[in-house]
Amino acid sequence: MSAQPNDLRTDVDSQETREWMDALSAVINAEGPERAHFLLEQLLEHARESSIDMPFSANTGYVNTIEPDQEAHCPGNIEIEERLRAYMRWNAMAMVVKANRHNPEDGGDLGGHIGSFASLAHMFGAGFNHFWHAENENHGGDCLYIQGHVSPGVYARAYLEGRLTEEQLLNFRQEVDGKGLSSYPHPKLMPEFWQFPTVSMGLGPLMAIYQARFLKYLHARGIANTENRKVWVFCGDGEMDEVESLGAIGLAAREKLDNLIFVVNCNLQRLDGPVRGNGKIVQELEGEFRGSGWNVIKLLWGNEWDKLLARDKDGALRKIMMDTLDGDYQAFKANDGGYVRRHFFGRDPRTLEMVSHMSDDEIWSLKRGGHDPQKVYAAYHEAVNHKDQPTVLLIKTVKGFGMGKAGEGKNNVHQTKKLTDEDIKYMRDRFNIPIPDSELSKIPFYKPADDTPEMRYLHERRQALGGYLPHRRTKAEESFTVPALDIFKSVMEPTAEGREISTTQAYVRFLTQLLRDQALGPRVVPILVDEARTFGMEGLFRQIGIYNPAGQQYTPVDKDQVMYYKEDKAGQILQEGINEAGGMSSWIAAATSYSTSNRIMVPFYVYYSMFGFQRIGDLAWAAGDMQARGFLLGGTSGRTTLNGEGLQHEDGHSHIMANTIPNCVSYDPTFAHEVGVILHHGLKRMVEKQDNVFYYITLLNENYAMPGLKAGTEAQIIKGMYLLQQGEGKKTAPRVNLLGSGTILRESIAARDLLAADWGVAANVWSCPSFNELTRDGQDAERYNLLHPTDKPKVPFVTAQLDPYVGPVVASTDYMKAYAEQIRPFIPKNADGSGRTYKVLGTDGFGRSDFRSKLREHFEVNRHYIVVAALKALSEEGTVPVAQVVEAIKKYGIKVDKINPLYA
């Protein structure tokens, strides 16, 4: 079949093609690659102008990006570094194997991973010895996002450095008694060691991009000098399938984050098998990153391949390298040199002849690039010196390198944590560890004497780079005084007659006032995800500007308006667009700046509450692990407040999710003064005291009059509950306690009036800004009493508040019933010792579109349902006849046969 004119694979004039190739080669030889690059770009642009269809390819050949003669020479002692790596490999293996030989009575293994560090050891060695700076007086320190499964190798290095003891290594993954080491990088568990949690795969790459961006932000705003700092991110090639791993690489290129370096360990294997058995993951990732604007450096082959490639004049070897699938590459490393000779070089007579002079052992010794210390150094050197682009290093390795038949290159190597004595002896011999056969069964750790050349070199290299890593700062050296609460009087005072505002407006007023503080104002980091106008924050655009490293090179369409969209190189707002994961990652970077940059920052990230914990819950959990400090603000919160938006937007469970994070302090305030008191208290804790907590506060878009702060209730607001209105009526009147939060507290207030007017019941109304804080307090008291049975019992705050006020209790919120149900165990008993009736109303079920009144009727949380619940509770205690309940149902037109909203 004849070739079609547009078949680019068919050369219709090979002589002409050779002339073009020779001409390009002449330019390269005479004028260098830069000139050749320029000419090619000019030709391509000319072709585009002539409307020639040019299919784009971001891929290069399956060879190293850096030619041998372009490699920066490693200044270190390669031989000593190899010895140190061997000791670390051994100690990492010993740590994991020892941990899995305990055989406890209750069964179960501790787990751990050997294969991942085995493949990464050379890359870590180059970084620790030559590139990674610790924080010191001359450098802010590099940020290391270390692949979680390689933690044994990092511990092994810290052991040689004297930072960890043998006892700690023996207690790997045994943390309860305080002597052990965490399984993976966890700042919460090892607060002076690990900086970033990375083992929820995909989150490390995402958070690192925004960390690098935040370092640029700090520098642009003059808050910290970060220009010489780098963010290094280690990922597995399998991890890159997590959508978060690649989800923000466009931002990194767009903002020219040349302080960001991704190192993708391409050992071609994920946990169960090959990453791309039928393809080539390196080529795929190269296309993704280069197409997004990154600088891509491929390191695939060790130096032993250089001579073979130099002899590959007709490209036969390069073609085999490109055509071979990753599944086959994995099989090569799971076999031997003879297998590689037959199944790799044997694919072409020319390449088979190329290695005819080599023994099978020599062929087997042809290393992948990630196991060549000189080439790893050269790749790192190129990356740290590259400007105006982030860099990704795609480094090919063997998973389980050095483990032999126990796991090297095999599908099950990730799960390999138990080795036989024969396997251990193999590793001892392969890496020449000076441990005699008589001691092998004990798998002893090995540490050279302090005065040996290896140990002196180890410490000298880290001293030259400013200290030891990883290391985490737990407190910032700087301090601030939070403005007094009365500074925020516009939030604390009652609204003027006829004036109504929302709690969202109260938050914006508080934030605006805080921004005016000369000391703390510049440290405020407002974070938006394209909803500023929804939350009434557009006034901040012009006031403090939106951060953009390129400034504002266009004229905004609303330039003639007071609140125009202003982007600025030193802008204070981080505008993430429609990107909740990005907003949360920026918030985490700012919320941990006290640790990563020794700068206290105060991030305020406001978003639709439905798109918070439900959408980025894993990042919120990581924030807790990282000991983040800042404010998350869930706007348009609750199941019934957001008119018309419906099922996907109406949040009735974010507070339940918030309570799963131990250091997240959450509130659902109703009134402006509650917002002010909570925000102020949060600032005092996180800024002045540097407590390791963060706050989640839900805000409403519903306008109503605000009553103002009642002096003396501040502490009760923070604890989660205060008496808002006391029931009025005759002493003999039935009494009930109505608890509420958020928007539904106002339904409780209205129910109080109905109970008094229609039924002669006196109701106390309690504002409960945090059922979660009440729950934690109650559970803490209950735990203390359990463990100290002879001590004076602690009284939960809920119990103490309600105890003087008789009558059943009805709690109503705009959240699922489970939210208020949490405090049931702490409801006080009646004077006669009988249990008080406790009724809970909530918004279980899917949301839907309608007016607020209709939604509250649908979810059975409006004032009428609260009245009926109160009367039912009173009837159960024998205070009012059950006939009143029936009468109330009829009076308020409640449909008793309608479907349960949970199932509607």
Side-chain angles (χ1 to χ4, degrees), residues 545-730:
I546 300 164
Y547 172 71
N548 189 317
Q552 192 160 40
Q553 300 173 10
Y554 65 94
T555 302
V557 68
D558 54 357
K559 177 72 173 181
D560 58 341
Q561 298 178 17
V562 174
M563 296 182 290
Y564 75 90
Y565 197 82
K566 178 187 175 184
E567 298 188 73
D568 190 279
K569 291 181 180 179
Q572 194 163 349
I573 297 169
L574 289 174
Q575 169 63 277
E576 305 302 348
I578 306 173
N579 179 7
E580 285 82 7
M584 188 63 183
S585 296
S586 268
W587 182 86
I588 289 172
T592 56
S593 180
Y594 73 91
S595 176
T596 56
S597 297
N598 196 20
R599 294 293 186 273
I600 292 174
M601 305 299 288
V602 189
F604 291 82
Y605 171 31
V606 60
Y607 51 86
Y608 272 70
S609 66
M610 189 65 160
F611 304 137
F613 291 100
Q614 174 165 299
R615 189 157 190 156
I616 46 82
D618 205 7
L619 284 167
W621 185 257
D625 190 351
M626 293 171 70
Q627 308 291 276
R629 305 171 187 165
F631 294 98
L632 297 173
L633 301 123
T636 60
S637 64
R639 193 83 82 194
T640 69
T641 62
L642 192 55
N643 280 355
E645 288 295 299
L647 186 151
Q648 194 63 53
H649 287 70
E650 291 173 354
D651 163 38
H653 46 274
S654 65
H655 278 286
I656 295 172
M657 301 174 81
N659 206 31
T660 64
I661 303 173
N663 48 348
C664 176
V665 184
S666 55
Y667 291 92
D668 182 35
T670 304
F671 299 119
H673 69 270
E674 295 173 355
V675 173
V677 167
I678 294 163
L679 288 171
H680 187 262
H681 186 259
L683 289 173
K684 298 286 281 189
R685 287 194 68 181
M686 295 184 290
V687 174
E688 287 190 3
K689 297 180 181 180
Q690 294 204 51
D691 286 351
N692 291 323
V693 296
F694 66 91
Y695 279 60
Y696 174 57
I697 303 169
T698 43
L699 303 173
L700 306 170
N701 63 336
E702 202 168 340
N703 294 323
Y704 42 84
M706 299 293 172
L709 176 65
K710 181 181 178 181
T713 60
E714 296 90 340
Q716 296 176 65
I717 291 171
I718 296 305
K719 287 184 177 181
M721 178 182 186
Y722 69 99
L723 183 61
L724 181 68
Q725 294 176 336
Q726 190 163 350
E728 298 176 354
K730 298 177 181 179

Side-chain angles (χ1 to χ4, degrees), residues 50-282:
S50 301
S51 300
I52 295 175
D53 179 29
M54 294 182 300
F56 171 76
S57 174
N59 286 116
T60 59
Y62 202 69
V63 292
N64 296 340
T65 301
I66 304 172
E67 294 290 339
D69 61 351
Q70 296 174 341
E71 292 176 2
H73 178 69
C74 177
N77 187 318
I78 298 292
E79 182 179 348
I80 287 181
E81 290 184 19
E82 188 62 40
R83 297 301 309 139
L84 287 169
R85 270 194 301 276
Y87 304 150
M88 293 172 202
R89 290 179 189 277
W90 174 265
N91 289 335
M93 176 277 296
M95 188 188 328
V96 174
V97 174
K98 281 174 176 287
N100 287 279
R101 287 191 172 183
H102 287 297
N103 300 315
E105 291 183 4
D106 58 353
D109 294 320
L110 290 170
H113 304 277
I114 302 171
S116 294
F117 177 71
S119 69
L120 269 171
H122 286 84
M123 290 181 254
F124 273 42
F128 279 118
N129 290 325
H130 303 290
F131 292 97
W132 298 339
H133 294 266
E135 180 188 355
N136 59 76
E137 60 183 13
N138 299 314
H139 198 288
D142 293 326
C143 298
L144 304 182
Y145 287 76
I146 293 173
Q147 196 175 347
H149 296 108
V150 305
S151 58
V154 180
Y155 293 145
R157 181 182 184 89
Y159 169 65
L160 292 184
E161 294 169 338
R163 302 174 63 209
L164 296 177
T165 65
E166 182 170 330
E167 182 183 24
Q168 288 175 296
L169 266 61
L170 289 171
N171 283 278
F172 173 60
R173 292 194 170 205
Q174 301 162 70
E175 302 175 75
V176 171
D177 293 330
K179 301 176 182 178
L181 302 173
S182 63
S183 53
Y184 302 120
H186 292 298
K188 167 64 181 174
L189 301 175
M190 296 179 67
E192 296 182 354
F193 194 85
W194 294 116
Q195 274 190 303
F196 308 104
T198 55
V199 84
S200 183
M201 288 186 285
L203 298 193
L206 177 66
M207 291 190 294
I209 289 172
Y210 286 89
Q211 177 64 55
R213 194 274 208 95
F214 195 73
L215 293 180
K216 295 276 191 180
Y217 169 91
L218 289 176
H219 192 81
R221 295 193 54 225
I223 293 173
N225 183 353
T226 65
E227 61 184 348
N228 59 353
R229 299 178 65 188
K230 299 290 185 183
V231 177
W232 291 77
V233 192
F234 282 83
C235 321
D237 47 359
E239 181 179 3
M240 303 314 287
D241 282 340
E242 293 280 6
V243 293
E244 294 93 343
S245 295
L246 298 174
I249 62 174
L251 168 77
R254 186 167 64 248
E255 300 209 358
K256 301 180 179 180
L257 299 182
D258 51 12
N259 60 342
L260 177 65
I261 299 170
F262 271 31
V263 182
V264 183
N265 179 22
C266 297
N267 56 37
L268 314 184
Q269 289 182 243
R270 50 189 176 209
L271 278 59
D272 289 336
V275 179
R276 295 289 185 274
N278 289 325
K280 301 179 84 64
I281 187 61
V282 169

Side-chain angles (χ1 to χ4, degrees), residues 425-474:
K425 185 177 186 298
Y426 172 85
M427 287 192 68
R428 190 272 312 264
D429 295 342
R430 179 162 179 174
F431 294 109
N432 195 26
I433 307 299
I435 293 175
D437 288 346
S438 60
E439 296 292 313
L440 268 186
S441 62
K442 301 176 184 177
I443 328 176
F445 298 118
Y446 181 75
K447 185 176 183 180
D450 291 342
D451 61 351
T452 58
E454 294 98 326
M455 294 299 280
R456 288 199 300 269
Y457 184 88
L458 178 76
H459 292 291
E460 287 168 1
R461 292 314 309 144
R462 287 315 311 162
Q463 289 164 7
L465 291 165
Y468 297 94
L469 289 173
H471 173 76
R472 180 179 177 275
R473 168 186 290 281
T474 59

